[in-house]
Amino acid sequence: MGEAQELQLNIIVQDSHEANHQGCTDVPEQPMLPRRRNLNWWLRISIYTLFVIAGQSAATLLGRLYYNKGGKSKCLGTLVQLAGFPILLPYYCIPASRRNPTTNITTNNIPLKSPSTLILASIYVSLGLLVALGCFLYSVGLSLLPVSTYSLICASQLVFNALFSFFLNSQKFTPYIVNSLVLLTISSTLLVFQAGDSADDPIGGSKTKYVIGFLCTVGASAGYGLVLSLTQLVFREVIRNETFAVILDMIVYQSLVATCAVLVGLFASGEWRGLRKEMEGFELGKLSYVMNLTWSAIIWQLYAIGAVGLIFEASSLFSNAISVVGLPVVPVLAVIFFHDKMDGIKAMAMVLGIWGFISYVYQLYLDDRKSKTQRNNATGEVSKAFPQENING
């Protein structure tokens, strides 16, 4: 009787595991590590979302302020996006940070080995170089394009991310996910139709510069989508544990490599020779010049924590969706700080962006309910296989 019950239990557990595995193919995109979406999970998601939206909006406005008031260095504009990572280093001085419990993915109850130092170094170097290239292309685009056009093209990163996630992370699309992608893209696309004014197009470049800025921003958006998908793949297939230190390791080492690459470009291009003259000619003064670059570097690191944290907690597509939600926020903040004109198109873009975000969050809610139902069904089947009286007998 005991052998029969054991065999029956094995069959039920195997069938439940296969059912859950098949059910996952209907879910749009699962997080790297299985986790229950409780109150703490939603709190972390809220904090990371705030970092992404607020960080992206503030850093973009500071970047435009830098170029509008006399800044010209593309390498320096790239460097401030990456060089703020030392503010995260004090975390490593806290002993408790390394004593946090970790949860590793296992196979047949056997913990998988941690990746070697060589593998991790290769990952950090590869992603760091991709990030450095993407940030440089973004800087070129931001310096040559109006805010409305720049925001429009940046929205394409969501499409690139979805495409790369389809191949790299088995991305599945549901009606709510498709609805979210369409709405978020339209919300940023609308910005290109807004009435042009001095705040939106302060540069007034030639058609050639416009084309260069357009191509650079498209390339940067494609690269950013690829980096997000690769980051999720690395978390799921290589790193496989659940600590905040993992997020910081990814940001710090990746930023270190990218910063070194940009510094090489800064000195190789000779732009460093003109930085003193640029600071002296900055319209808002030397102090404002230094403060602009300093706060840009700090805010970009908050954005990085939020973006990588959302990948870790949810998915790369969700992280990118939150990023796109923040794109319509930039023109609204420009109304407050740059006295830009608010029109109906900008207001409509904000509404569509929020609608798209709610659509994606609702899909997460449906996935959570489905996951709980599957767990309850599996538990019920095991309980029926071993009635209480048989166990006591």
Side-chain angles (χ1 to χ4, degrees):
M1 183 65 181
E3 294 180 356
Q5 286 182 338
E6 183 178 358
L7 178 61
Q8 186 177 8
L9 175 61
N10 291 336
I11 293 175
I12 291 174
V13 172
Q14 182 178 1
D15 291 343
S16 299
H17 180 271
E18 292 177 355
N20 290 338
H21 179 71
Q22 292 173 358
C24 290
T25 60
D26 298 329
V27 180
E29 186 179 6
Q30 297 296 330
M32 287 71 62
L33 305 173
R35 61 181 73 237
R36 189 172 184 179
R37 289 166 182 162
N38 51 24
L39 180 60
N40 289 335
W41 184 86
W42 284 106
L43 179 60
R44 292 194 299 270
I45 288 292
S46 301
I47 294 174
Y48 291 143
T49 298
L50 177 63
F51 283 176
V52 168
I53 295 180
Q56 176 181 250
S57 302
T60 301
L61 292 176
L62 287 175
R64 283 309 297 262
L65 182 66
Y66 167 76
Y67 289 115
N68 291 353
K69 300 302 180 180
K72 297 180 176 63
S73 175
K74 309 301 187 298
C75 288
L76 187 59
T78 305
L79 191 62
V80 297
Q81 300 179 46
L82 304 165
F85 70 90
I87 67 173
L88 306 177
L89 297 181
Y91 175 82
Y92 294 99
C93 299
I94 304 175
S97 65
R98 290 301 185 178
R99 296 198 299 266
N100 288 338
T102 61
T103 302
N104 295 327
I105 295 179
T106 61
T107 302
N108 297 327
N109 295 326
I110 301 176
L112 298 178
K113 294 177 62 178
S114 299
S116 65
T117 303
L118 179 61
I119 293 177
L120 288 177
S122 301
I123 291 172
Y124 294 143
V125 170
S126 300
L127 291 178
L129 293 177
L130 282 175
V131 169
L133 177 60
C135 289
F136 178 77
L137 293 176
Y138 271 133
S139 295
V140 175
L142 184 61
S143 66
L144 298 178
L145 295 176
V147 171
S148 58
T149 305
Y150 178 80
S151 299
L152 161 68
I153 303 172
C154 285
S156 64
Q157 68 192 33
L158 195 62
V159 179
F160 287 116
N161 184 207
L163 178 63
F164 289 126
S165 292
F166 176 81
F167 293 104
L168 297 176
N169 300 310
S170 301
Q171 169 68 45
K172 303 298 181 182
F173 295 102
T174 66
Y176 289 108
I177 294 297
V178 173
N179 180 64
S180 176
L181 295 178
V182 172
L183 290 174
L184 291 172
T185 303
I186 293 177
S187 69
S188 295
T189 303
L190 285 174
L191 298 177
V192 80
F193 299 109
Q194 67 188 20
D197 53 41
S198 59
D200 282 337
D201 191 7
I203 299 174
S206 64
K207 183 177 181 180
T208 301
K209 291 183 178 180
Y210 179 90
V211 172
I212 294 175
F214 179 88
L215 295 177
C216 287
T217 310
V218 169
S221 299
Y224 184 71
L226 176 60
V227 167
L228 290 180
S229 298
L230 288 175
T231 300
Q232 179 179 354
L233 183 65
V234 167
F235 276 140
R236 189 184 68 243
E237 300 294 341
V238 180
I239 297 178
R240 296 181 296 230
N241 62 47
E242 299 182 0
T243 61
F244 186 71
V246 168
I247 299 177
L248 288 189
D249 287 344
M250 179 65 71
I251 296 173
V252 169
Y253 295 130
Q254 181 177 282
S255 298
L256 176 62
V257 173
T259 299
C260 292
V262 174
L263 284 174
V264 170
L266 178 64
F267 287 97
S269 63
E271 285 190 1
W272 65 275
R273 297 188 183 94
L275 294 182
R276 178 179 293 275
K277 181 179 179 181
E278 178 179 287
M279 180 174 63
E280 294 174 351
F282 196 67
E283 295 181 16
L284 300 179
K286 295 180 181 180
L287 179 61
S288 296
Y289 179 86
V290 174
M291 294 299 294
N292 180 288
L293 298 177
T294 301
W295 281 108
S296 293
I298 295 174
I299 293 173
W300 275 122
Q301 288 309 303
L302 294 178
Y303 169 81
I305 293 175
V308 177
L310 289 176
I311 296 175
F312 184 78
E313 297 287 349
S315 69
S316 62
L317 187 60
F318 181 70
S319 178
N320 214 338
I322 296 300
S323 179
V324 173
V325 166
L327 293 177
V329 177
V330 176
V332 174
L333 293 178
V335 172
I336 301 174
F337 296 104
F338 296 149
H339 305 291
D340 193 5
K341 180 182 179 182
M342 170 61 74
D343 53 28
I345 292 181
K346 292 178 183 178
M348 186 181 299
M350 277 293 299
V351 172
L352 290 177
I354 296 174
W355 184 7
F357 172 69
I358 293 176
S359 179
Y360 197 103
V361 171
Y362 184 68
Q363 181 61 57
L364 288 180
Y365 169 74
L366 295 179
D367 295 343
D368 190 35
R369 289 188 58 184
K370 183 176 181 179
S371 177
K372 289 180 180 178
T373 301
Q374 290 175 344
R375 287 197 301 268
N376 293 335
N377 291 340
T379 302
E381 290 178 354
V382 174
S383 299
K384 291 178 182 178
F386 291 94
Q388 186 67 27
E389 59 269 18
N390 291 341
I391 296 177
N392 294 334

